[in-house]
C-alpha cells in the first residue's frame, strides 16, 4: 500500500516507517506539521494515511482537524488517526463523515504489530478500527440499556464497535462464528436495532446507537 | 416643599430618638469606663458587650447611610469560639465612639424631641401670655408687655423652626457619619487583615502544591518507573535465554510488551491528573463539552469562551469532572447543569443536579479532593445538598485580572 504519515516525533516517525516498509508497504510522504498534511494527501492520494492528532505548530489537535478537512476534500480517503490519548468527542468528529475507512487508535497499539497492521489494512479497505478504550467509554455512557445484555453479548458488542468482523471476533473470544452470529442477533434485538450484515453499516448502526 | 421638609425632620427625629437605644448603654459605659477598662484587661471576654453595642450601631447607621459598615474585628468574635483578639487600636476606637456617641447622642435626641412641642407653644404665646402666672411662660423669653409679646415669640419660633428643619436632619446624618468614621475598619487595619489572610492562603496553596508534587512523584516512581524496571529485567532475561530456550525468551518478550503497555496506561492516567491533554487541545469549554458528552445523563452547559490561566482551567475541569462522576455514581439524578462564567477577576463554576441530595462534604474523597484543589488556588467551595433537593456545587476561583 502507498501510505502517507503525519507524525512530528522523529523516533515514532522512523519507527512507523520501519514497521510499514518491513511489511512491504511504501511510505510516499511524511508530514512533520499540521499545515503539511493536507497538501501531502492531495498530492499523493495514498491508499491510507496514518496521522498523529497533536502536531506542530500549535501542538493541539491539528492532525485531527487536517483529517476532518481531508475527508471533506477527498471523500472516503482511508485515515488512521493515532493519539497519545483517546477522546470520545474526537472519535465522534472523525466518524461524523461516515465510519467507512476510519481508524482511531491509541499510539500504544502500534506495539502489537500484527494487530496494528491488521487494523491498518482493514481501514484501507474501507473498514473501521476504533480503539477499545473509545468503545468502552462509549459503552459506559450508555449504561442503562446495555444492562439487559449478558456479559458475553457486551463483549461481542464492544468488538463489533471496534470494527472487527465475525471471524476476528470469533478468534478473539475463542468461540465459533456461528455463536458470534447468534450473539449479534441477540444484541441487535435487545437494543431494537434493525438487523444488518457485517461490515461498516453494522459498525455505523452500533456507533450511532452508542452515541445517541 | 414644606411638607417634605417636615417629613424629613420627623424621620430624623425618629432616628435620633431610636438612637437612645445605643446612646443610653453608651452613657452607662461611659460611667463605668474606668472599672470597665480594668475588667477588660483581666477578662478579654468583657469586650463583648461593647462589641455588641458597636455592632448594633453599625447596622443602624449603615441602614441610614445606605452602605454597610464592616466590623474591624478579627479572629473568633462569636461566643464560645475562643477569646476575642484585636489590635488595641480597634478597642480604643470603639471606646472613643462610645464616649462621643453617649455625650452627643443624648443631647441630639432631647433637642430633636423637644423642638416639636416648643414651636406651637412659642407661636401661640401672644394669645395667652397675659393669662399665665408671671414668669412661667417659655423657657427663653419673658414677656412683660405687648411690644415684646408681638415680636419675641415669632423670632424664637422662627429660630426653632430653622433648627428643626435644617439642623435635626443633619444631626441624624452626622450621628451616622460619626459611627461610620470610628467603627469601620481603618484603611490600615483592613490592609493588615488582607495581608494576613493572603499570607495564610498562600501558605496553604504552597502546601497543597507540594502535596500534589509528592503525589505525582509517587505515582511515577511506584507505577511507571517500577513497571519499566520490570520490563528491562524481562528483556535482559530474554536475551540470556535466547539461544538456549527460544520459546521461553519469546514469552518473556511478550510479557515485556505487556509491561510496557501497562506503563503507558499508568502514564496516561498520571498525565491526565497533571493537566488533561484535551484542555490544551480544546480549551476549557471544549474540554467540558467532551466531558459532558461522555455522561450517562444529559448535561446542560452554559460556558464562557474566555481563556483563563492554565492552572485555573485545570482546576475548573477537575471540579466539573469530579462533580459529574459523583452525580453519575451517587445522586440518581436524571439531569445535570454546568455553568462556567467569568466575573471580573473570578471564574465561577456551578454544577447542579436534580438527584436525591444529602451529599456530605465531610465524607467521600471526591468532595474533599475538590475542596483541596480549589483551596490550592485560593478559591472557595460551597456545597448545598438538602435531602431530596438535588445538589448544587459552587466554586469560585480567582483568575488574575
Amino acid at each position: 500500500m502507498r501510505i502517507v504519515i503525519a507524525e512530528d516525533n522523529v523516533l515514532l516517525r522512523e519507527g512507523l516507517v520501519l514497521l510499514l516498509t518491513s511489511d512491504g508497504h511504501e511510505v510516499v510522504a511524511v508530514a512533520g506539521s499540521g499545515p503539511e498534511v493536507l497538501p501531502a494527501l492531495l498530492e499523493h492520494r495514498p491508499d491510507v494515511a496514518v496521522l498523529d492528532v497533536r502536531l506542530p505548530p500549535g501542538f493541539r489537535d491539528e492532525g485531527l482537524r487536517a483529517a476532518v478537512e481531508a475527508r471533506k476534500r477527498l471523500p472516503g480517503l482511508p485515515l488512521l488517526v493515532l493519539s497519545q490519548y483517546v477522546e470520545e468527542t474526537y472519535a465522534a468528529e472523525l466518524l461524523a463523515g461516515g465510519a467507512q475507512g476510519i481508524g482511531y487508535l491509541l499510539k500504544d497499539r502500534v506495539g502489537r504489530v500484527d494487530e496494528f497492521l491488521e487494523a491498518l489494512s482493514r481501514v484501507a479497505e474501507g473498514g473501521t478500527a476504533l480503539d477499545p478504550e473509545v468503545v468502552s467509554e462509549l459503552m459506559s455512557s450508555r449504561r442503562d440499556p446495555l444492562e439487559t445484555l449478558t456479559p458475553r453479548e457486551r463483549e461481542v458488542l464492544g468488538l463489533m464497535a471496534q470494527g472487527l468482523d465475525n471471524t476476528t471476533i470469533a478468534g478473539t473470544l475463542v468461540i465459533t462464528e456461528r455463536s458470534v452470529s447468534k450473539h449479534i442477533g441477540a444484541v441487535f434485538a435487545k437494543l431494537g436495532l434493525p438487523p444488518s450484515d457485517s461490515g461498516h453499516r453494522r459498525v455505523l448502526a452500533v456507533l450511532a446507537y452508542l452515541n445517541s | 416643599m414644606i411638607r417634605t421638609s417636615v417629613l424629613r425632620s420627623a424621620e430624623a427625629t425618629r432616628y435620633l430618638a431610636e438612637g437612645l437605644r445605643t446612646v443610653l448603654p453608651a452613657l452607662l459605659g461611659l460611667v463605668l469606663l474606668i472599672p470597665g477598662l480594668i475588667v477588660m484587661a483581666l477578662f478579654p471576654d468583657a469586650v463583648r458587650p461593647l462589641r455588641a453595642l458597636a455592632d448594633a450601631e453599625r447596622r443602624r447607621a449603615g441602614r441610614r447611610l445606605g452602605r454597610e459598615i464592616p466590623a474591624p474585628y478579627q479572629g473568633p468574635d462569636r461566643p464560645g469560639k475562643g477569646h476575642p483578639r484585636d489590635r488595641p487600636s480597634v478597642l480604643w476606637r470603639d471606646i472613643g465612639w462610645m464616649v462621643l456617641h453617649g455625650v452627643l447622642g443624648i443631647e441630639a435626641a432631647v433637642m430633636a424631641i423637644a423642638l416639636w412641642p416648643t414651636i406651637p407653644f412659642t407661636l401661640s404665646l401672644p394669645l395667652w401670655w397675659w393669662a399665665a402666672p408671671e414668669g412661667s411662660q417659655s423657657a427663653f423669653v419673658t414677656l412683660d408687655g405687648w411690644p415684646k409679646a408681638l415680636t419675641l415669640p415669632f423670632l424664637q419660633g422662627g429660630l426653632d423652626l430653622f433648627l428643626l428643619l435644617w439642623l435635626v436632619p443633619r444631626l441624624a446624618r452626622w450621628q451616622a457619619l460619626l459611627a461610620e468614621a470610628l467603627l469601620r475598619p481603618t484603611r490600615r487595619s483592613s490592609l493588615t487583615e488582607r495581608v494576613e489572610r493572603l499570607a495564610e492562603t498562600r501558605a496553604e496553596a504552597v502546601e497543597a502544591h507540594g502535596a500534589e508534587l509528592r503525589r505525582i512523584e509517587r505515582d511515577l516512581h511506584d507505577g511507571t518507573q517500577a513497571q519499566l524496571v520490570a520490563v528491562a529485567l524481562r528483556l535482559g532475561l530474554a536475551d540470556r535465554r535466547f539461544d538456549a530456550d527460544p520459546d521461553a525468551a519469546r514469552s518473556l518478550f511478550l510479557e515485556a510488551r505487556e509491561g510496557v503497555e501497562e506503563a503507558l496506561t499508568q502514564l496516561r492516567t498520571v498525565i491526565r491528573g497533571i493537566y488533561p491533554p484535551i484542555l490544551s487541545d480544546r480549551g476549557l469549554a471544549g474540554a467540558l463539552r467532551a466531558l459532558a458528552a461522555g455522561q450517562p445523563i444529559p448535561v446542560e452547559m452554559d460556558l464562557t469562551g474566555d481563556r483563563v490561566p492554565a492552572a485555573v482551567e485545570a482546576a475548573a475541569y477537575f471540579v466539573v469532572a469530579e462533580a459529574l462522576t459523583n452525580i453519575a455514581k451517587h445522586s440518581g439524578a436524571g439531569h445535570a447543569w454546568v455553568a462556567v462564567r467569568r466575573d471580573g477577576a473570578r471564574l465561577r463554576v456551578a454544577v447542579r443536579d436534580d438527584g436525591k441530595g444529602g451529599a456530605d462534604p465531610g465524607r467521600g474523597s471526591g468532595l474533599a479532593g475538590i475542596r483541596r484543589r480549589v483551596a490550592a488556588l485560593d478559591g472557595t467551595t460551597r456545597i448545598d445538598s438538602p435531602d431530596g433537593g438535588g445538589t448544587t456545587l459552587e466554586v469560585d476561583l480567582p483568575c488574575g485580572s
Side-chain angles (χ1 to χ4, degrees):
Chain A
M1 290 191 291
R2 298 171 62 253
I3 300 173
V4 166
I5 295 176
E7 168 65 66
D8 61 305
N9 186 304
V10 180
L11 272 175
L12 274 172
R13 191 163 68 202
E14 295 311 314
L16 273 174
V17 172
L18 183 69
L19 180 72
L20 294 172
T21 47
S22 75
D23 196 49
H25 301 297
E26 186 192 353
V27 176
V28 291
V30 174
S33 78
E36 293 170 41
V37 176
L38 201 56
L41 294 177
L42 290 171
E43 188 194 331
H44 295 283
R45 310 271 173 129
D47 297 317
V48 62
V50 180
L51 311 173
D52 184 8
V53 165
R54 195 175 276 192
L55 289 174
F59 294 98
R60 290 157 74 98
D61 53 358
E62 286 83 354
L64 185 79
R65 286 170 202 275
V68 171
E69 185 59 30
R71 289 280 284 194
K72 277 188 202 145
R73 305 275 289 271
L74 300 168
L77 175 74
L79 297 175
L80 177 59
V81 174
L82 294 179
S83 178
Q84 297 283 15
Y85 73 106
V86 288
E87 270 299 333
E88 218 182 299
T89 312
Y90 291 180
E93 284 168 25
L94 275 172
L95 294 168
Q100 218 173 341
I102 284 290
Y104 181 44
L105 297 176
L106 271 177
K107 275 191 184 164
D108 311 11
R109 313 295 177 208
V110 178
R112 303 205 164 233
V113 177
D114 291 345
E115 286 167 43
F116 173 71
L117 290 172
E118 195 274 321
L120 186 67
S121 56
R122 195 163 76 230
V123 169
E125 285 156 18
T128 310
L130 266 196
D131 198 89
E133 227 176 84
V134 182
V135 172
S136 69
E137 260 186 54
L138 283 171
M139 285 176 70
S140 73
S141 64
R142 283 301 298 266
R143 223 169 16 190
D144 293 351
L146 297 186
E147 266 160 19
T148 57
L149 302 184
T150 65
R152 179 61 86 174
E153 285 164 356
R154 266 205 292 279
E155 276 180 320
V156 171
L157 175 67
L159 293 172
M160 253 198 298
Q162 287 175 36
L164 302 182
D165 60 16
N166 290 14
T167 321
T168 321
I169 294 175
T172 309
L173 298 178
V174 203
I175 52 178
T176 64
E177 266 185 67
R178 250 180 67 87
S179 41
V180 172
S181 315
K182 232 175 61 191
H183 289 308
I184 290 175
V187 169
F188 272 64
K190 283 184 183 174
L191 299 184
L193 294 171
S196 84
D197 54 349
S198 62
H200 75 271
R201 262 195 297 179
R202 187 177 74 182
V203 182
L204 215 56
V206 171
L207 291 178
Y209 174 79
L210 291 176
N211 245 333
S212 64
Chain B
M1 217 335 237
I2 292 288
R3 201 182 129 78
T4 46
S5 300
V6 171
L7 283 177
R8 199 172 54 152
S9 293
E11 201 275 325
T13 306
R14 194 186 52 74
Y15 179 78
L16 291 169
E18 226 182 49
L20 289 173
R21 276 195 244 159
T22 51
V23 165
L24 296 177
L27 279 174
L28 181 67
L30 181 57
V31 173
L32 299 174
L33 186 57
I34 302 300
L37 280 176
I38 296 167
V39 171
M40 275 181 206
L42 293 174
F43 305 102
D45 278 319
V47 79
R48 288 217 164 95
L50 176 59
R51 279 188 176 189
L53 186 67
D55 274 337
E57 184 68 9
R58 274 186 195 101
R59 283 192 296 275
R60 202 173 75 90
R63 272 199 304 277
R64 175 146 198 102
L65 295 172
R67 51 181 181 254
E68 201 185 325
I69 302 174
Y73 311 131
Q74 53 164 200
D77 55 355
R78 274 160 290 283
K81 288 190 87 184
H83 295 303
R85 54 182 168 86
D86 274 317
R87 280 174 300 282
S89 70
V90 172
L91 177 64
W92 288 117
R93 289 169 73 86
D94 278 4
I95 290 176
W97 163 80
M98 182 184 78
V99 171
L100 286 173
H101 185 64
V103 171
L104 300 175
I106 187 78
E107 278 151 23
V110 167
M111 185 172 100
I113 295 167
L115 273 172
W116 292 90
T118 304
I119 290 168
F121 176 87
T122 312
L123 289 179
S124 65
L125 268 179
L127 300 176
W128 52 267
W129 67 275
W130 45 267
E134 193 143 344
S136 71
Q137 2 60 338
S138 175
F140 306 109
V141 194
T142 310
L143 301 178
D144 47 16
W146 279 105
K148 274 191 183 176
L150 288 177
T151 51
L152 287 180
F154 296 106
L155 273 178
Q156 200 203 326
L159 180 68
D160 287 348
L161 208 58
F162 166 77
L163 289 179
L164 183 67
L165 295 183
W166 189 87
L167 186 64
V168 167
R170 279 167 183 75
L171 279 178
R173 183 169 170 77
W174 291 338
Q175 191 177 59
L177 287 175
L178 175 78
E180 186 185 42
L182 286 173
L183 295 181
R184 73 160 173 230
T186 57
R187 203 178 135 65
R188 195 190 154 87
S189 74
S190 48
L191 275 178
T192 311
E193 194 183 324
R194 203 173 133 70
V195 167
E196 279 166 8
R197 209 177 58 79
L198 279 176
E200 212 170 283
T201 51
R202 184 163 172 76
E204 280 166 17
V206 168
E207 179 55 37
H209 183 64
E212 235 11 59
L213 286 179
R214 279 194 296 278
R215 185 183 61 75
I216 294 165
E217 187 269 345
R218 210 169 41 236
D219 284 352
L220 288 177
H221 185 268
D222 296 349
T224 318
Q225 205 174 16
Q227 196 69 249
L228 289 176
V229 170
V231 167
L233 189 80
R234 287 206 165 77
L235 289 175
L237 277 175
D239 180 32
R240 276 172 64 116
R241 292 206 190 160
F242 194 75
D243 292 327
D245 189 353
D247 282 345
R250 187 184 164 80
S251 79
L252 282 166
F253 280 135
L254 292 179
E255 279 176 37
R257 184 175 70 185
E258 273 165 27
V260 170
E261 286 169 349
E262 182 65 26
L264 284 170
T265 305
Q266 284 174 358
L267 199 53
R268 238 189 325 272
T269 312
V270 176
I271 289 173
R272 269 183 209 273
I274 300 171
Y275 192 74
I278 192 163
L279 267 180
S280 51
D281 288 3
R282 291 285 167 97
L284 183 59
L288 290 180
R289 277 195 200 99
L291 195 59
Q295 296 303 312
I297 58 168
V299 181
E300 261 176 62
M301 298 242 146
D302 179 10
L303 306 174
T304 170
D306 296 354
R307 291 303 299 252
V308 293
V312 177
E313 286 196 338
Y317 182 83
F318 279 110
V319 166
V320 177
E322 195 64 52
L324 289 177
T325 306
N326 277 347
I327 290 172
K329 262 199 231 158
H330 308 298
S331 75
H335 254 90
W337 292 264
V338 174
V340 178
R341 69 191 167 86
R342 181 147 189 196
D343 202 351
R346 320 281 294 174
L347 189 74
R348 295 186 200 280
V349 180
V351 184
R352 190 161 61 83
D353 69 62
D354 59 358
K356 65 181 183 331
D360 182 358
R363 295 211 335 258
S365 59
L367 288 172
I370 289 175
R371 270 187 198 288
R372 190 173 44 87
R373 203 131 196 162
V374 170
L377 291 175
D378 197 14
T380 56
T381 309
R382 209 177 64 79
I383 294 158
D384 183 26
S385 188
D387 271 323
T391 300
T392 303
L393 170 76
E394 283 175 340
V395 162
D396 204 294
L397 294 159
C399 56
S401 49

